[in-house]
Amino acid sequence: MQNIEVELIPISQSITDLLEAKAEQYNQPDFIPYDPISIPHRFSKKQDIEIMGFWAAVLAWGQRKTIINKCLELSALMDDAPYDFVKNHQESDLKKFLGFKHRTFNATDTLYFLHFFQNFYHQHDSLEYAFSSHMSASDVTIENGLIGFYDLFSNSENFPSRTKKHIATPVRKSSCKRLNMFLRWMVRKDNKGVDFGIWNTISPAQLVCPCDVHVDRIARKLGLIQRPVTDWRTATELTASLRMLNPNDPVLYDFALFGLGIEGFAKEEFLI
């Protein structure tokens, strides 16, 4: 797929100031305990962070408290040592996962994820390769990385058809919000202590803003999105707008848009 150019509308100084202020407010360590990102923050080993960050992002729908509790349950099933478990587990170790479920994510999906992780980490040291190996430095966004990851993830005779709905791809026009959130966690680098920044071959400038319900609603209120539906083109349109504010780190403003969303922000309350 090719990156699609969108016509950008200039962002007013008042909106710029609002986004800068809210990004500063929410990109802070006290944001962590109430967000699914708290799950990978329980670990220090790179691979543990990757595995539990991936799980937390994929399971991130519904109430945040429930998401966190389900991820803690999943971690406990892996003896709170996810990297060691996915590399070394035996078939007999998988029986305890048969009762795991979160919304439409069930035991079949769980077992395939474990199968993928085991095969992948026996060949590669970091999950970064699953995305970066499909990209080049000239790519404007992470799009090729997402497409390549989906193809890699699903390239197994054991891949259940039902599991494909849990891993998004731009090919299906999905906004890929959960994977984009995971990539933000792994790639963004700053000194705030929220995002990990442990991957180095993907640039923060290539990230695409996760379009969850809060981000999408606020972005539309602020005129950052013109497209009427929410899909991959919408996500890249929003990111292109944010890139005007910070070309090297556009998804910094994910913090601002999400924060404004949970605050119940209304455009009419802010002088634009």
Side-chain angles (χ1 to χ4, degrees):
M1 295 180 67
Q2 296 180 342
N3 295 303
I4 300 172
E5 293 186 5
V6 296
E7 182 178 353
L8 300 179
I9 297 175
I11 301 174
S12 70
Q13 188 60 51
S14 56
I15 292 179
T16 299
D17 292 344
L18 175 66
L19 294 176
E20 293 285 356
K22 289 299 179 179
E24 178 66 23
Q25 176 183 340
Y26 285 98
N27 185 16
Q28 298 290 341
D30 58 7
F31 173 84
I32 296 172
Y34 309 100
D35 190 82
I37 200 174
S38 63
I39 296 299
H41 269 288
R42 298 175 67 245
F43 300 90
S44 57
K45 182 182 292 185
K46 180 179 182 179
Q47 293 84 357
D48 286 336
I49 293 169
E50 293 176 347
I51 293 167
M52 290 313 301
F54 190 83
W55 279 115
V58 169
L59 297 180
W61 78 98
Q63 295 184 342
R64 286 192 287 170
K65 182 178 180 180
T66 301
I67 296 165
I68 292 169
N69 287 338
K70 295 305 291 188
C71 290
L72 291 174
E73 177 186 341
L74 187 59
S75 179
L77 290 172
M78 293 186 285
D79 305 318
D80 290 319
Y83 180 55
D84 180 69
F85 184 88
V86 300
K87 281 199 73 177
N88 300 312
H89 70 264
Q90 305 297 315
E91 187 172 353
S92 59
D93 298 321
L94 299 176
K95 294 180 182 178
K96 57 186 175 180
F97 292 90
L98 295 178
F100 184 80
K101 187 178 188 300
H102 175 59
R103 294 196 167 221
T104 64
F105 193 96
N106 68 13
T108 298
D109 307 310
T110 305
L111 293 176
Y112 183 77
F113 273 52
L114 291 169
H115 168 77
F116 169 78
F117 280 137
Q118 186 173 64
N119 286 345
F120 181 84
Y121 279 110
H122 278 150
Q123 300 175 61
H124 306 284
D125 182 62
S126 171
L127 195 57
E128 179 175 13
Y129 181 81
F131 295 88
S132 64
S133 61
H134 309 287
M135 298 178 58
S136 70
S138 62
D139 287 353
V140 176
T141 73
I142 193 69
E143 181 172 317
N144 288 329
L146 289 168
I147 295 171
F149 175 78
Y150 177 83
D151 292 343
L152 175 67
F153 183 84
S154 60
N155 184 27
S156 169
E157 61 182 14
N158 298 315
F159 182 63
S161 59
R162 60 159 285 115
T163 303
K164 66 182 180 182
K165 66 185 176 183
H166 296 298
I167 300 297
T169 171
V171 172
R172 295 202 301 262
K173 300 183 180 180
S174 170
S175 68
C176 301
K177 62 181 178 181
R178 296 184 184 93
L179 287 179
N180 281 328
M181 181 172 67
F182 169 69
L183 291 169
R184 194 205 84 196
W185 295 351
M186 297 298 107
V187 174
R188 274 202 73 251
K189 305 177 192 300
D190 59 25
N191 60 359
K192 301 296 186 177
V194 182
D195 292 329
F196 293 92
I198 55 176
W199 290 1
N200 297 309
T201 57
I202 300 172
S203 168
Q206 295 173 307
L207 295 175
V208 170
C209 190
C211 279
D212 79 351
V213 62
H214 297 293
V215 169
D216 186 270
R217 178 170 61 85
I218 299 302
R220 292 183 187 281
K221 284 181 177 291
L222 297 179
L224 302 175
I225 297 174
Q226 305 301 319
R227 187 168 170 78
V229 297
T230 301
D231 57 12
W232 179 250
R233 286 184 61 184
T234 308
T236 57
E237 177 184 334
L238 171 57
T239 306
S241 294
L242 300 176
R243 199 176 286 119
M244 291 193 293
L245 303 180
N246 191 332
N248 296 319
D249 189 16
V251 301
L252 164 65
Y253 304 103
D254 181 29
F255 287 103
L257 295 169
F258 180 80
L260 287 166
I262 61 176
E263 287 178 9
F265 170 82
K267 179 178 177 181
E268 295 78 17
E269 298 171 0
F270 185 78
L271 182 61
I272 297 177

